[in-house]
Amino acid sequence: MALTMFKKKKKSKKNQPVSNQSHCCFCSMQCSLQLVQNEKRSRMKVKPSHDFPVATGRLCQKGLNSLDHVEHKSRIRKPLVRVDGNVDKKWSTTSWETAFDQISNKMKELQNKHGKDSVSVFGGGSLTNEVSYLLGKFTRVALQSKYIDYNGRYCMSSAAAAGNKAFGVDRGLTLPLTELENARYIILAGTNIAECQPTMMSYLIAAKKKGAVIVTIDPRNTKTSKLADIHVRLQPGFDAMFVNALLNVIVNEKLYDELFVQNRTNGFSELVETVKPYTPDVVEEMTGILAPKIRTIARGFAKAKTGIVFTARGLEQQINGVENTLNYINLCLTTGKIGKSGCGFGAVTGQANGQGGREHGQKADQLPGYRMLEDQSARAHVAKVWGISPSELPGNGVSAFEMFEKINAGEIKAMVVLGSNPIVSSPNNAVVEQALKRLELLVVVDLFETETAEYADWLLPGSSFLEAEGTLTNLEGRVFHRAKVLETPNENPLDYEIICEFAERLGRGQYFQYHSIEDIFNELTRASAGGKADYGGMTYDRLKEEKGLFWPCPESNHPGTPMMFNNRFYHEDGKAKIFAIKPEKPAEPIDEEYPYILTTGRLANHYLSGAQTRRTEVLNKKSPIPVAEIHPWLAQKMGLIPNQKMKIISRRGSLDFHVKITEGIQPKTIFVPFHWGKELAINRITNDALAPISRMPEFKICAVQVKALD
Ligand SMILES: Nc1nc2c(c(=O)[nH]1)N[C@H]1C(S)=C(S)[C@@H](COP(=O)(O)OP(=O)(O)OC[C@H]3O[C@@H](n4cnc5c(=O)[nH]c(N)nc54)[C@H](O)[C@@H]3O)O[C@H]1N2
Ligand SMILES: Nc1nc2c(c(=O)[nH]1)N[C@H]1C(S)=C(S)[C@@H](COP(=O)(O)OP(=O)(O)OC[C@H]3O[C@@H](n4cnc5c(=O)[nH]c(N)nc54)[C@H](O)[C@@H]3O)O[C@H]1N2
Ligand code: SF4
Ligand SMILES: [Mo]
């Protein structure tokens, strides 16, 4: 059988606009970069660019080195299949034709035997809007399966749930970054911007120069907290209680904005009751955070003319992450600091397209434009755009981690992983390992043989950010166009072409007739039109000319919406909801047997599962292995001396680490970065307890024992 779709298109591809302008593939800042010829070595080189309004002319070290992994010798350049069905874990190269044929036949065979839902898809937040959208459509229309979810579940799901509950919509930042310098008080909770969105620091520095007070809240002294006027070093898991103390002061001292509360919110009276017991003195007793410090922050924020609160994964990746986030939102809602210049709330999105990736149907319960899969009118709208009957659309699937549980339960037999490395990034990853081994068909589409791909039956070459044109949505909600700069190695098909080809082979090609990536975007805008994340008024031409547009942008003459909630929130009555939060314990509180708290997170030099940055020499040299950060008090208690290794033991297993002893961490807390695989993967021992609403795993808290090693 001849290759159906992409071959044809390859031939008709003419005058593809060539650009040397792109955007970094790593974090949600999406800084612009340019590829220039390096005269000495006749190689290309990355330089900052002035082609984008955000962080103009700036790149951090990850961006500057982002070409390295693209050109890396270990890039997968041809489709690979296991020799003799995986016995020795050896690969052999094969043709695309064979790969498409054999994989789609296996999918059909499994679906005939076990039902449509036996084949699943696991996507990612680095993918363009178009590929994210297409993965959702592919799962529901070509596979006709309900099982799709993606790595953003591990990332933004608690923030998304909180945004939806409080505001009626989830847009990470409710304001553009340029508003930071208009803020006079900035609270940064569980967000290490200096390492995770480094080029945002210039906005914070500008705010500080104009007189803003900056408060950071983190169990560690971070590179971000260096910029802070006040740093609150709390034990992981105590955010909700700490914020209740702030709200207690705001209520008791009548520092709230009465008019705003009355006209634009519901739920204030419950909050007043709930925060009553959490006086600064009581909370000092329970958390060690001094009462005067609590009062200073509460008064400072409430009385400031303008103020902004940002949160990130520190307090979101917990089983109480939704509630933690809601409480920080309460600071903005009670003081009227939202919907006007210099004010707002932001959950700082993480991945390159972490924002767009969660809007267009990669989530188990969502359709494009944030429509809900089980809402009848949403189904009708999207089915019409897709040319199918609403009854053909499957219902809700399950969250990312739960898909692995479904594999272990025998319900899911096959998985396509495109844009994630879940054995490194999922909690309690023994569950994932068991699942990957159990799958009858695992297809990984990636640039590299990742730790996850080691379990795959098929490994197909994925396209890098420099090769794939498309749109992405940055942390502000700004949708922009990223041009193609390089061809894929061996003229391999792009991710979207691979997906379309599978659809064709599954007999559903009629629904995937695109001539370019722009075609997919145009369909996405129609599918999202009328939804909350409305891209209806966007076109490639507009995105290119206007250097991006903020959603919602419903009409072709609509200017986009940089600042949210100026006049109304997204709930039916136009008001925001204040949720009174009673602080709850983590899934695994510390006890006598497991007396310390393990928390996990990031380093400036590595990105997520490390698939890309561990292959980037300059970065990997700086951070070659994970090092556990501990307080001198804990080191002394263990009898640990510098250069000695330690063992960290959780209820799920144990791992050995080199140690960094630092005053800059809450004494009972241990911090370990998660960018490594196998015996260096901290996710071997993290807790897979999931938040009830968002299904977010508790990456940030688990109880551990520690031991100094000889
Ligand atoms: N260099 C680099 N940059 C990245 C990434 C990367 O891997 N590397 N990943 C990107 C992605 S996908 C994401 S989601 C973002 C994540 O960005 P962040 O959320 O900022 O990163 P983390 O290091 O996971 O966590 C932030 C902080 O939370 C603190 N913390 C832990 N427990 C608690 C708690 O209970 N309460 C509070 N208040 N703080 C706590 C940690 O000490 C840590 O400093 O970064 C993005 N940018
Ligand atoms: N313990 C602990 N675990 C965590 C977290 C934590 O704080 N602590 N944070 C969680 C968070 S916030 C996140 S976002 C997850 C992320 O975790 P992962 O999903 O594992 O993240 P990545 O390493 O970005 O994996 C992306 C993979 O896709 C490939 N890739 C990149 N771009 C493309 C593309 O365009 N096409 C194709 N085909 N492939 C591509 C890369 O090579 C890489 O292998 O980790 C989560 N896990
Ligand atoms: S700040 Fe983020 S987007 Fe910008 S260069 Fe660094 S990693 Fe890339
Ligand atoms: Mo993330």
Short mmCIF file of all heavy atoms in Angstrom, two decimals, residues 492-512:
data_model
loop_
_atom_site.label_atom_id
_atom_site.label_comp_id
_atom_site.label_asym_id
_atom_site.label_seq_id
_atom_site.Cartn_x
_atom_site.Cartn_y
_atom_site.Cartn_z
N ASN A 492 11.55 12.98 7.33
CA ASN A 492 10.54 12.23 8.09
C ASN A 492 9.26 13.03 8.17
O ASN A 492 9.29 14.26 8.20
CB ASN A 492 11.06 11.97 9.51
CG ASN A 492 12.04 10.82 9.56
OD1 ASN A 492 11.88 9.85 8.82
ND2 ASN A 492 13.05 10.93 10.40
N PRO A 493 8.13 12.34 8.24
CA PRO A 493 6.88 13.08 8.39
C PRO A 493 6.84 13.81 9.73
O PRO A 493 7.46 13.38 10.70
CB PRO A 493 5.81 11.99 8.35
CG PRO A 493 6.52 10.72 8.64
CD PRO A 493 7.92 10.88 8.17
N LEU A 494 6.11 14.90 9.75
CA LEU A 494 5.93 15.66 10.99
C LEU A 494 4.91 14.93 11.87
O LEU A 494 4.16 14.08 11.39
CB LEU A 494 5.41 17.06 10.65
CG LEU A 494 6.42 17.92 9.89
CD1 LEU A 494 5.72 19.05 9.14
CD2 LEU A 494 7.47 18.47 10.85
N ASP A 495 4.88 15.30 13.15
CA ASP A 495 3.95 14.64 14.08
C ASP A 495 2.53 14.63 13.52
O ASP A 495 1.83 13.63 13.58
CB ASP A 495 3.94 15.36 15.44
CG ASP A 495 5.25 15.17 16.21
OD1 ASP A 495 5.98 14.21 15.93
OD2 ASP A 495 5.54 16.02 17.09
N TYR A 496 2.08 15.76 12.99
CA TYR A 496 0.70 15.83 12.53
C TYR A 496 0.46 14.92 11.33
O TYR A 496 -0.61 14.33 11.17
CB TYR A 496 0.28 17.28 12.26
CG TYR A 496 0.49 17.82 10.86
CD1 TYR A 496 -0.49 17.67 9.88
CD2 TYR A 496 1.65 18.51 10.52
CE1 TYR A 496 -0.31 18.19 8.60
CE2 TYR A 496 1.85 19.02 9.26
CZ TYR A 496 0.87 18.85 8.30
OH TYR A 496 1.05 19.35 7.04
N GLU A 497 1.51 14.78 10.51
CA GLU A 497 1.37 13.90 9.35
C GLU A 497 1.31 12.43 9.79
O GLU A 497 0.59 11.62 9.20
CB GLU A 497 2.52 14.14 8.39
CG GLU A 497 2.46 15.54 7.77
CD GLU A 497 3.70 15.93 6.98
OE1 GLU A 497 4.82 15.65 7.44
OE2 GLU A 497 3.54 16.51 5.90
N ILE A 498 2.05 12.12 10.82
CA ILE A 498 2.01 10.73 11.35
C ILE A 498 0.60 10.42 11.85
O ILE A 498 0.03 9.37 11.54
CB ILE A 498 3.05 10.58 12.50
CG1 ILE A 498 4.47 10.77 11.96
CG2 ILE A 498 2.90 9.22 13.18
CD1 ILE A 498 5.56 10.80 13.03
N ILE A 499 0.05 11.37 12.59
CA ILE A 499 -1.30 11.15 13.15
C ILE A 499 -2.31 10.98 12.01
O ILE A 499 -3.16 10.07 12.03
CB ILE A 499 -1.71 12.33 14.08
CG1 ILE A 499 -0.71 12.47 15.23
CG2 ILE A 499 -3.12 12.13 14.60
CD1 ILE A 499 -0.85 13.78 16.01
N CYS A 500 -2.21 11.85 11.01
CA CYS A 500 -3.17 11.77 9.90
C CYS A 500 -3.02 10.45 9.14
O CYS A 500 -4.02 9.87 8.70
CB CYS A 500 -2.96 12.94 8.93
SG CYS A 500 -3.47 14.51 9.64
N GLU A 501 -1.80 10.00 9.00
CA GLU A 501 -1.58 8.74 8.28
C GLU A 501 -2.21 7.57 9.04
O GLU A 501 -2.84 6.69 8.44
CB GLU A 501 -0.08 8.53 8.07
CG GLU A 501 0.28 7.32 7.23
CD GLU A 501 -0.19 7.43 5.77
OE1 GLU A 501 -0.30 8.56 5.27
OE2 GLU A 501 -0.45 6.38 5.16
N PHE A 502 -2.07 7.58 10.36
CA PHE A 502 -2.71 6.52 11.14
C PHE A 502 -4.23 6.58 10.98
O PHE A 502 -4.89 5.55 10.85
CB PHE A 502 -2.33 6.61 12.62
CG PHE A 502 -1.02 5.96 12.95
CD1 PHE A 502 -0.02 6.66 13.59
CD2 PHE A 502 -0.79 4.64 12.59
CE1 PHE A 502 1.20 6.05 13.88
CE2 PHE A 502 0.43 4.02 12.87
CZ PHE A 502 1.42 4.74 13.52
N ALA A 503 -4.77 7.80 10.98
CA ALA A 503 -6.22 7.94 10.81
C ALA A 503 -6.65 7.31 9.49
O ALA A 503 -7.66 6.59 9.42
CB ALA A 503 -6.60 9.42 10.86
N GLU A 504 -5.86 7.58 8.46
CA GLU A 504 -6.14 7.02 7.13
C GLU A 504 -6.16 5.49 7.19
O GLU A 504 -7.09 4.84 6.70
CB GLU A 504 -5.03 7.52 6.18
CG GLU A 504 -5.17 7.08 4.75
CD GLU A 504 -6.24 7.88 4.01
OE1 GLU A 504 -6.45 9.05 4.38
OE2 GLU A 504 -6.86 7.31 3.09
N ARG A 505 -5.14 4.95 7.80
CA ARG A 505 -5.03 3.48 7.85
C ARG A 505 -6.12 2.85 8.72
O ARG A 505 -6.41 1.68 8.60
CB ARG A 505 -3.68 3.06 8.44
CG ARG A 505 -2.50 3.67 7.77
CD ARG A 505 -2.10 2.91 6.54
NE ARG A 505 -1.10 3.65 5.81
CZ ARG A 505 -0.05 3.09 5.22
NH1 ARG A 505 0.13 1.80 5.26
NH2 ARG A 505 0.79 3.83 4.54
N LEU A 506 -6.64 3.64 9.64
CA LEU A 506 -7.73 3.11 10.48
C LEU A 506 -9.09 3.29 9.79
O LEU A 506 -10.14 3.07 10.39
CB LEU A 506 -7.73 3.81 11.85
CG LEU A 506 -6.53 3.49 12.75
CD1 LEU A 506 -6.43 4.48 13.92
CD2 LEU A 506 -6.60 2.05 13.28
N GLY A 507 -9.04 3.76 8.54
CA GLY A 507 -10.28 3.89 7.77
C GLY A 507 -11.06 5.16 8.06
O GLY A 507 -12.24 5.29 7.72
N ARG A 508 -10.40 6.14 8.71
CA ARG A 508 -11.12 7.37 9.06
C ARG A 508 -10.46 8.60 8.41
O ARG A 508 -10.67 9.74 8.86
CB ARG A 508 -11.14 7.54 10.59
CG ARG A 508 -11.72 6.36 11.35
CD ARG A 508 -13.21 6.24 11.19
NE ARG A 508 -13.90 7.16 12.10
CZ ARG A 508 -15.23 7.28 12.16
NH1 ARG A 508 -16.00 6.54 11.36
NH2 ARG A 508 -15.79 8.12 12.99
N GLY A 509 -9.70 8.33 7.35
CA GLY A 509 -8.94 9.40 6.70
C GLY A 509 -9.81 10.54 6.20
O GLY A 509 -9.36 11.70 6.14
N GLN A 510 -11.05 10.27 5.90
CA GLN A 510 -11.91 11.34 5.38
C GLN A 510 -12.06 12.51 6.36
O GLN A 510 -12.36 13.63 5.96
CB GLN A 510 -13.29 10.76 5.01
CG GLN A 510 -14.19 10.56 6.20
CD GLN A 510 -15.06 9.32 6.10
OE1 GLN A 510 -14.57 8.19 6.15
NE2 GLN A 510 -16.35 9.54 5.94
N TYR A 511 -11.87 12.24 7.64
CA TYR A 511 -12.00 13.32 8.64
C TYR A 511 -10.67 14.04 8.90
O TYR A 511 -10.60 14.91 9.75
CB TYR A 511 -12.53 12.74 9.96
CG TYR A 511 -13.84 12.03 9.79
CD1 TYR A 511 -13.91 10.64 9.84
CD2 TYR A 511 -15.01 12.75 9.54
CE1 TYR A 511 -15.12 9.98 9.66
CE2 TYR A 511 -16.22 12.11 9.35
CZ TYR A 511 -16.26 10.72 9.41
OH TYR A 511 -17.45 10.08 9.21
N PHE A 512 -9.66 13.62 8.19
CA PHE A 512 -8.32 14.19 8.46
C PHE A 512 -7.66 14.67 7.15
O PHE A 512 -6.50 14.41 6.91
CB PHE A 512 -7.44 13.14 9.17
CG PHE A 512 -7.93 12.81 10.56
CD1 PHE A 512 -8.97 11.89 10.75
CD2 PHE A 512 -7.39 13.43 11.68
CE1 PHE A 512 -9.44 11.60 12.03
CE2 PHE A 512 -7.85 13.14 12.96
CZ PHE A 512 -8.89 12.22 13.14
#
